[in-house]
Amino acid sequence: MEKDYKNIMKELREDNDLRQKEVAAYLKIDQRVYSRYETGRNALPIEKVILLCKFYKVSADYFLGLDNVKRRP
């Protein structure tokens, strides 16, 4: 199964032992809004994609499910 950004968002958060509330605070949004992004009920704005890529130190291609490599050397 190919991963999409929603699955990758959740996986990155869980791999870093974070709760939705903690990531939402970093993004300066309510936890409920973050939850809707993670479940796909709301589209994730590009500025949040950029912030999350920087936060998790992953490429945008990885975050969006276009590449299997998290980081480039």
Side-chain angles (χ1 to χ4, degrees):
M1 179 179 111
E2 192 171 301
K3 291 183 185 180
D4 64 13
Y5 79 88
K6 297 177 300 285
N7 303 108
I8 294 167
M9 268 179 79
K10 183 175 182 178
E11 188 176 276
L12 286 167
R13 180 177 57 76
E14 290 176 344
D15 287 350
N16 286 277
D17 297 320
L18 296 167
R19 296 180 323 204
Q20 286 184 347
K21 185 175 183 176
E22 295 167 310
V23 181
Y26 170 77
L27 296 174
K28 297 183 172 99
I29 58 174
D30 189 88
Q31 181 272 328
R32 292 170 291 197
V33 174
Y34 179 85
S35 177
R36 289 193 292 266
Y37 292 154
E38 200 173 90
T39 60
R41 289 175 42 213
N42 286 16
L44 183 63
I46 188 67
E47 58 271 8
K48 302 302 184 196
V49 171
I50 294 166
L51 286 172
L52 288 168
C53 289
K54 290 178 179 180
F55 182 70
Y56 291 119
K57 297 179 176 70
V58 297
S59 72
D61 282 349
Y62 177 82
F63 186 86
L64 296 171
L66 302 173
D67 194 343
N68 292 329
V69 179
K70 285 185 181 182
R71 295 174 198 86
R72 296 280 179 211

